[in-house]
Amino acid sequence: MKKTTTTSLEKLVRRCCFALGTAALACAVAAAPAIATDTPAIPAYVGPPARADFGNVTPSAEARQLADWIVDSDNHRRLPFIIVDKQYATAYAFHADGVLRGAAPVLLGLAIGDDSVPGIGERKLSAIRPEERTTPAGRFVAALDRNLHGTEILWVDYDAAISLHRVVTTAPKERRAERLASPTPLDNRVSYGCINVPRDFFDRVVGPAFKGTNGIVYVLPENRSAQEVFGSYDVDRQH
């Protein structure tokens, strides 16, 4: 069988075809549309807002909205917390997970207002005028302690000498126990600024909640909005 030989001309033709094919491929690649690499990412599903659990207790709209914001934003840093609703003279105590531990009426400062007078914590009670006896609004890191008489209290604002404690009944004419028991919050303004709660509520709820740990006390304002005081938001609108 005769051996087939490749001539110099055939080799030249093959080289030219290969070169032309490579150039055509390069042109085709250059002409192809670019694939976008900056396609916006699909946002992750956030889910429904986290909410506080009030159980069978019906709070005011302001207290519920604040509690939901606290839990949804983790503003309480997973610590036990209490909301004091001054307009309705009620305290709501929560576990760290946002489940209600208990609620009770409270006695508040005689004067309406959201701020303490500067330096009031260093003054004697007899030197505090009626219009200065406010319960300040705000977010306070609170802890159990004992006062000068050895009685356990929950410090709310140490500098302003504001604490949450068992109701004081040493002045019968103030009728503090009766005020707590009345069905209306209109007669619950009587203290120098401290927050008085029923003895059973302090012993059964507040003490165990803050034992061995700090917590947060939120006092709702009465002259300003909660958003202005806390920077809170409506969880439904936020989500």
Side-chain angles (χ1 to χ4, degrees), residues 117-176:
V117 176
I120 197 169
E122 300 175 0
R123 289 159 56 181
K124 295 181 179 179
L125 291 181
S126 58
I128 301 176
R129 298 189 299 271
E131 64 272 16
E132 296 176 327
R133 301 173 187 177
T134 56
T135 299
R139 178 188 187 275
F140 305 95
V141 178
L144 290 172
D145 200 352
R146 294 189 179 276
N147 61 17
L148 296 176
H149 304 289
T151 303
E152 190 174 46
I153 61 173
L154 182 70
W155 275 120
V156 176
D157 187 346
Y158 185 83
D159 291 337
I162 300 297
S163 65
L164 184 151
H165 55 71
R166 301 172 184 86
V167 60
V168 176
T169 57
T170 53
K173 65 179 182 179
E174 292 181 341
R175 301 172 42 256
R176 294 198 178 194

Side-chain angles (χ1 to χ4, degrees), residues 32-219:
I35 299 175
T37 59
D38 58 348
T39 304
I42 299 174
Y45 175 65
V46 177
R51 296 183 184 278
D53 183 0
F54 280 87
N56 59 0
V57 174
T58 303
S60 68
E62 292 79 8
R64 181 180 292 281
Q65 189 174 79
L66 184 68
D68 287 343
W69 166 74
I70 292 168
V71 175
D72 187 65
S73 66
D74 192 33
N75 186 268
H76 63 311
R77 300 297 185 264
R78 282 281 170 173
L79 292 171
F81 65 96
I82 294 175
I83 294 176
V84 177
D85 188 340
K86 287 201 289 182
Q87 293 194 42
Y88 291 89
T90 304
Y92 305 94
F94 292 86
H95 293 275
D97 60 0
V99 175
L100 186 73
R101 295 184 73 115
V106 298
L107 299 181
L108 302 161
L110 176 66
I112 293 176
D114 295 327
D115 300 294
S116 292
V117 176
I120 197 169
E122 300 175 0
R123 289 159 56 181
K124 295 181 179 179
L125 291 181
S126 58
I128 301 176
R129 298 189 299 271
E131 64 272 16
E132 296 176 327
R133 301 173 187 177
T134 56
T135 299
R139 178 188 187 275
F140 305 95
V141 178
L144 290 172
D145 200 352
R146 294 189 179 276
N147 61 17
L148 296 176
H149 304 289
T151 303
E152 190 174 46
I153 61 173
L154 182 70
W155 275 120
V156 176
D157 187 346
Y158 185 83
D159 291 337
I162 300 297
S163 65
L164 184 151
H165 55 71
R166 301 172 184 86
V167 60
V168 176
T169 57
T170 53
K173 65 179 182 179
E174 292 181 341
R175 301 172 42 256
R176 294 198 178 194
E178 290 82 358
R179 291 171 185 267
L180 276 176
S182 71
T184 174
L186 298 178
D187 60 352
N188 289 43
R189 313 301 293 254
V190 65
S191 79
Y192 282 80
C194 285
I195 303 162
N196 287 217
V197 300
R199 292 178 177 274
D200 178 67
F201 181 74
F202 191 97
D203 295 337
R204 181 177 51 84
V205 177
V206 177
F210 286 78
K211 184 177 182 179
T213 181
N214 288 340
I216 310 296
V217 172
Y218 298 87
V219 181

